[in-house]
Amino acid sequence: MRAEIISIGSEITTGQNLDTNCQWLSLRLAELGVSVAFHTTVADDLADNIAAFRIASERVDLVLTTGGLGPTQDDLTREALASVAGVPLQEDAQSLAHIRAMFAARNREMPERNRVQALMPAGSEVLFNARGTAPGVWMKINRAYFAAMPGVPSEMFTMFTEQVVPRMRAAGLLGQGSVILQRKINCFGAGESVIEEKVLDLTRRGHVPEVGITVSDAVISLRIFGRGPTQADALAQIAPVEATIRQRLGDLVYGVDDEELQQVVERLLRQRGLTLATAESVTGGLVAHRLTSVPGASEVFRGGIVAYTNPAKVQLLGVPAALIETHGAVSSQVAEAMAQGARQRLGSDLAVSTTGLAGPGTEGEKPVGLVYVGLAWAEGVRSLAINWGGTRAEILSRSAKSALNAVRLFLLNG
Amino acid sequence: MRAEIISIGSEITTGQNLDTNCQWLSLRLAELGVSVAFHTTVADDLADNIAAFRIASERVDLVLTTGGLGPTQDDLTREALASVAGVPLQEDAQSLAHIRAMFAARNREMPERNRVQALMPAGSEVLFNARGTAPGVWMKINRAYFAAMPGVPSEMFTMFTEQVVPRMRAAGLLGQGSVILQRKINCFGAGESVIEEKVLDLTRRGHVPEVGITVSDAVISLRIFGRGPTQADALAQIAPVEATIRQRLGDLVYGVDDEELQQVVERLLRQRGLTLATAESVTGGLVAHRLTSVPGASEVFRGGIVAYTNPAKVQLLGVPAALIETHGAVSSQVAEAMAQGARQRLGSDLAVSTTGLAGPGTEGEKPVGLVYVGLAWAEGVRSLAINWGGTRAEILSRSAKSALNAVRLFLLNG
């Protein structure tokens, strides 16, 4: 049982877009015990699409394609599938009704050209698209089952999970190879080498299970790869190593897999029945944005103030103008006053603040990357200073993480 | 003249690593006037490598491979190349000396297993590796020139630039086709099919220059691909088509290439000497974050208030509680009152607000995806309603774009 993933689009072959669908699908197939032999990317060219589909139909058992299902003349997947299978395209009435309904839901009439999205190769099954207009296609060509899905990631994710996996199961395509499961342990608050030194024996080549270390935007992740005939075997390999890592790294570990600092912070707030507010200067709304990106944030997040200028710090947060004059806006004193001001004005239990320099270019003698995070609660206030490196975008993102992490550590340890 | 890029490694086909080499090479080839027809990724399997190389050797003129040149048993590129070419592997004395010297420079002796890195298919040329131990391979198989390079990005970048490009030139693979330059025209405020209908004659297959249409997070981009013997020729092809597109799409076009709405908004504010403030409910700080992600934002952005709860709307923005009770927090009336409140409290010339439902799950009878954007200025206030589809993250991102776009259109047209 081998699979191939085919990504379709000149925006990928010309390098304009980076294809991430392929990686997502590869991870899902690995979890399902399906081995991926090839990824192929093909430009928006009918002859090349036909050639790629034909090769795949003869060398693997499952082909997952993404892209080429839109309504434009560059969208050739339907036509290429029909050509390789040697069947005509036929309009599917149900799909057409769904496309019309999607437009109607947005108070628009379906443009005539979207009608082509309802064309299906004869003998194929429609893969319902819960999130967009383009239906997918499920059909067998030569030795391979094909699942043709849209290139829009959110549409593809849902279609793969809800429509393709059940059909793979029904066709007997699951659970034949060895399952690979990953567990990602995410850490924040120390550098890569500090963390790596604590787990050197686990990350060495040949260790079973394999443990890798990656860094992304100041988050250090340890990935444990469990392998075995079943998911239970793979999980059993992972569990003791995860326990060792957690024991060694303590509260440097904030979460697992795709968990983010804001989710952990909100979970802790909810557990303790506390609310949070933000006062942001350097991060300019990013801390609030991350907090509100979590569904249900309004239960624990009161709101925030983006005080990007000194007058705004004085007027909206009640920071004494004299404090700014004496210590500068980028100072622990101002960070603490901002947090206190936000806590009071928003009536929250806790408030966190940021003030710093993200560059490019310096202002005065303080270095770009210097950021103060303030934290205010009923009984007190404190602050910490961090020096971040990187571009402006990196400094902003990492400073927002420092603010969230300060709240997390306060909630854990007081 | 067509090229194929082959990435080798099970860490890519299993989804553990995201392949970015391929995108980098695609962009370089486009700049050199070489068209990329296929990307292929193949696992560390000898038979699959041989099959992929054979297919490529028969369908394109240039094959760039990355990976599989290390010293382990998983590194199969040398062997696969020799097999497809039908030649033996031979040790290259100079390469062996270089590998030994690389280890010596780090005060280490060369492990015996690294010796395999000096094996070259008979009749091939060595591609010198200035940054690592693995030499690359240059050879012709069937109709195609192959350049086999390491997978480590820094080693590959240098080898491609210093070793491969001169050989491509010598082999007559450059400048036969043409230079390809891209111009991306970015639009916001209408759907893909609405925009495509206005430029159907330009996006049709066979139009010179080629015009493609892509959608990313509600931004519709028209990409013009200029081709010609020189960059000047390519640019001359682009200019009149860009002018036509701008004339037809009017203020749907907000920028070019990587330009984002917040950059355009801040440029317009600066040109007109105006300042902006934000009042965010549904977007929870994202509009402020995007505005402050632009260097120098403090010249035109006063700050903002994230009023995520109804009490915050009342206390921080002065929205009358009765207004919220009568019309609901998600209403044009509340959007307008929020914008007026932010404008007054932050002392800005303009203020923009958002209120809406991002889901998941509905509250009351208003649908998820319904968002109101309010805009206040010295002489008045107005609002618009938008129905966004998609996930919570997509609704938040698109709503923030709607808010920025409302400011842009006001600054352009009043």
Side-chain angles (χ1 to χ4, degrees):
Chain A
M1 230 313 282
R2 284 147 49 95
E4 176 161 351
I5 300 168
I6 302 182
S7 308
I8 298 150
S10 297
E11 71 280 7
I12 310 172
T13 53
T14 55
Q16 287 162 37
N17 284 9
L18 180 64
D19 177 27
T20 53
N21 284 338
C22 210
Q23 183 184 28
W24 188 88
L25 284 170
S26 295
L27 288 170
R28 296 297 84 72
L29 290 177
E31 289 164 5
L32 295 166
V34 176
S35 145
V36 177
F38 302 97
H39 295 171
T40 299
T41 306
V42 58
D44 295 320
D45 176 282
L46 186 61
D48 289 343
N49 270 266
I50 290 172
F53 289 2
R54 180 160 291 131
I55 290 169
S57 75
E58 289 163 357
R59 69 180 173 190
V60 296
D61 310 283
L62 172 70
V63 181
L64 303 179
T65 79
T66 60
L69 293 178
T72 78
Q73 291 161 336
D74 282 346
D75 292 297
L76 302 164
T77 302
R78 291 174 289 264
E79 200 176 335
L81 282 174
S83 167
V84 176
V87 297
L89 285 168
Q90 297 173 339
E91 187 169 278
D92 179 67
Q94 251 189 315
S95 297
L96 186 60
H98 172 67
I99 298 166
R100 281 197 207 282
M102 290 290 292
F103 277 95
R106 295 179 211 168
N107 291 313
R108 289 173 51 200
E109 204 170 315
M110 184 192 85
E112 195 47 36
R113 55 182 311 100
N114 281 73
R115 192 167 187 133
V116 300
Q117 295 189 294
L119 291 178
M120 290 285 138
S124 66
E125 274 179 56
V126 172
L127 298 174
F128 178 69
N129 188 340
R131 298 185 172 275
T133 55
V137 183
W138 174 263
M139 67 190 300
K140 195 165 185 191
I141 308 178
N142 298 327
R143 71 178 256 209
Y145 285 93
F146 276 69
M149 297 175 283
V152 178
S154 61
E155 297 182 21
M156 189 276 282
F157 298 167
T158 305
M159 188 180 286
F160 178 75
T161 308
E162 297 178 0
Q163 300 285 318
V164 177
V165 173
R167 284 176 175 81
M168 286 170 59
R169 183 168 289 120
L173 295 169
L174 295 188
Q176 300 189 348
S178 146
V179 171
I180 307 178
L181 291 183
Q182 285 184 33
R183 179 73 160 173
K184 211 169 105 190
I185 314 291
N186 301 317
C187 311
F188 187 86
E192 181 181 13
S193 46
V194 171
I195 287 175
E196 196 177 22
E197 255 174 41
K198 294 177 195 277
V199 293
L200 259 190
D201 53 326
L202 307 176
T203 56
R204 69 157 200 279
R205 189 166 276 272
H207 184 271
V208 177
E210 186 188 335
V211 179
I213 187 163
T214 54
V215 190
S216 174
D217 199 27
V219 168
I220 319 289
S221 296
L222 295 163
R223 290 169 195 264
I224 314 169
F225 298 94
R227 286 161 210 260
T230 68
Q231 296 214 341
D233 296 306
L235 286 172
Q237 254 193 2
I238 289 171
V241 179
E242 175 170 349
T244 304
I245 290 173
R246 285 180 175 277
Q247 188 259 315
R248 292 198 197 159
L249 297 180
D251 63 18
L252 286 171
V253 174
Y254 70 82
V256 295
D257 299 332
D258 293 331
E259 224 168 5
E260 306 213 60
L261 279 163
Q262 53 269 24
Q263 294 169 294
V264 177
V265 164
E266 292 186 22
R267 193 175 61 224
L268 292 170
L269 287 167
R270 207 166 276 126
Q271 284 168 3
R272 284 156 180 71
L274 298 174
T275 58
L276 177 67
T278 53
E280 302 183 63
S281 178
V282 63
T283 50
L286 183 54
V287 179
H289 163 56
R290 292 215 174 133
L291 286 165
T292 56
S293 69
V294 182
S298 58
E299 292 167 33
V300 293
F301 180 58
R302 278 271 186 271
I305 288 166
V306 179
Y308 208 58
T309 59
N310 289 344
K313 289 182 184 69
V314 174
Q315 290 154 32
L316 296 179
L317 289 166
V319 177
L323 204 67
I324 298 178
E325 209 160 298
T326 310
H327 302 286
V330 180
S331 62
S332 60
Q333 292 84 352
V334 169
E336 293 181 4
M338 287 172 69
Q340 287 174 310
R343 185 175 168 276
Q344 188 223 314
R345 278 166 176 69
L346 283 139
S348 59
D349 299 301
L350 299 176
V352 68
S353 68
T354 63
T355 178
L357 297 169
T362 47
E363 306 156 47
E365 71 274 27
K366 289 175 182 168
V368 169
L370 174 64
V371 174
Y372 292 90
V373 169
L375 191 77
W377 64 101
E379 294 80 23
V381 62
R382 71 185 182 209
S383 60
L384 72 152
I386 314 115
N387 273 286
W388 283 117
T391 61
R392 179 181 172 88
E394 287 165 345
I395 291 170
L396 294 181
S397 177
R398 291 163 191 185
S399 302
K401 288 183 185 180
S402 292
L404 293 167
N405 198 51
V407 178
R408 179 181 74 91
L409 293 176
F410 178 84
L411 291 169
L412 284 180
N413 308 325
Chain B
M1 232 311 282
R2 282 147 51 97
E4 176 161 350
I5 300 169
I6 302 183
S7 307
I8 298 150
S10 296
E11 73 280 8
I12 310 171
T13 52
T14 57
Q16 286 164 38
N17 284 7
L18 180 64
D19 177 27
T20 53
N21 284 338
C22 210
Q23 183 183 30
W24 188 88
L25 284 170
S26 295
L27 288 169
R28 297 296 84 72
L29 289 177
E31 289 163 5
L32 293 165
V34 176
S35 147
V36 177
F38 301 97
H39 294 171
T40 299
T41 306
V42 58
D44 296 319
D45 176 281
L46 186 60
D48 288 343
N49 270 266
I50 290 172
F53 289 3
R54 179 161 292 129
I55 290 168
S57 75
E58 290 164 356
R59 70 181 173 188
V60 297
D61 310 283
L62 173 70
V63 181
L64 303 179
T65 79
T66 60
L69 293 178
T72 78
Q73 290 165 333
D74 283 345
D75 291 298
L76 302 163
T77 302
R78 290 174 290 265
E79 202 177 334
L81 283 173
S83 168
V84 177
V87 298
L89 286 167
Q90 297 172 339
E91 189 170 276
D92 179 67
Q94 250 190 315
S95 296
L96 186 60
H98 171 67
I99 297 167
R100 282 197 207 284
M102 290 290 291
F103 277 97
R106 296 178 212 166
N107 291 313
R108 289 172 52 198
E109 206 169 313
M110 184 192 85
E112 196 48 36
R113 58 182 307 102
N114 282 75
R115 192 168 187 132
V116 300
Q117 295 190 294
L119 291 178
M120 290 286 136
S124 67
E125 274 179 56
V126 172
L127 298 173
F128 178 70
N129 187 341
R131 297 182 174 272
T133 56
V137 182
W138 175 262
M139 67 191 300
K140 194 166 185 189
I141 307 178
N142 298 327
R143 71 178 256 208
Y145 285 92
F146 276 68
M149 297 176 283
V152 178
S154 62
E155 297 182 21
M156 188 276 282
F157 297 166
T158 306
M159 188 180 285
F160 178 75
T161 309
E162 296 178 1
Q163 300 285 317
V164 177
V165 173
R167 283 177 176 81
M168 285 170 60
R169 184 169 289 119
L173 296 169
L174 295 187
Q176 289 196 337
S178 39
V179 171
I180 308 181
L181 293 181
Q182 292 174 30
R183 178 73 159 175
K184 207 169 110 193
I185 314 291
N186 300 316
C187 310
F188 187 87
E192 182 182 12
S193 43
V194 170
I195 287 176
E196 199 184 20
E197 260 173 38
K198 293 176 194 279
V199 292
L200 258 191
D201 53 325
L202 307 176
T203 57
R204 72 156 199 279
R205 193 155 282 273
H207 184 270
V208 177
E210 185 188 336
V211 178
I213 188 163
T214 55
V215 191
S216 175
D217 198 26
V219 167
I220 318 290
S221 297
L222 293 163
R223 292 167 193 266
I224 313 170
F225 299 90
R227 288 162 208 259
T230 68
Q231 297 214 339
D233 296 306
L235 287 171
Q237 251 192 3
I238 289 170
V241 179
E242 175 170 348
T244 304
I245 290 172
R246 285 180 176 279
Q247 188 260 313
R248 292 201 198 155
L249 297 181
D251 61 22
L252 286 171
V253 175
Y254 72 82
V256 295
D257 298 333
D258 293 331
E259 225 167 4
E260 307 211 60
L261 278 162
Q262 55 267 26
Q263 294 170 295
V264 177
V265 164
E266 293 186 22
R267 193 176 61 224
L268 292 171
L269 286 167
R270 208 167 275 126
Q271 283 167 4
R272 286 157 178 70
L274 298 174
T275 59
L276 178 66
T278 53
E280 302 183 64
S281 179
V282 63
T283 51
L286 183 53
V287 179
H289 164 54
R290 292 213 175 135
L291 286 164
T292 57
S293 70
V294 182
S298 58
E299 292 167 35
V300 293
F301 179 58
R302 278 272 187 269
I305 289 166
V306 179
Y308 209 58
T309 59
N310 288 345
K313 288 181 185 70
V314 175
Q315 289 152 34
L316 296 178
L317 290 166
V319 177
L323 204 66
I324 298 178
E325 209 159 298
T326 312
H327 303 286
V330 179
S331 62
S332 60
Q333 291 86 350
V334 169
E336 293 182 5
M338 287 172 68
Q340 286 174 312
R343 185 178 169 273
Q344 187 222 314
R345 278 165 176 69
L346 282 139
S348 59
D349 299 301
L350 298 176
V352 68
S353 69
T354 63
T355 180
L357 296 170
T362 48
E363 306 155 47
E365 71 274 29
K366 288 174 183 169
V368 169
L370 173 65
V371 174
Y372 291 91
V373 169
L375 191 77
W377 64 100
E379 293 80 24
V381 62
R382 71 185 180 208
S383 59
L384 71 153
I386 314 115
N387 273 286
W388 283 118
T391 62
R392 179 180 172 89
E394 287 166 344
I395 291 171
L396 294 180
S397 177
R398 292 163 191 185
S399 300
K401 287 183 184 180
S402 292
L404 292 167
N405 198 51
V407 178
R408 179 181 74 91
L409 292 176
F410 179 83
L411 291 169
L412 284 179
N413 308 326

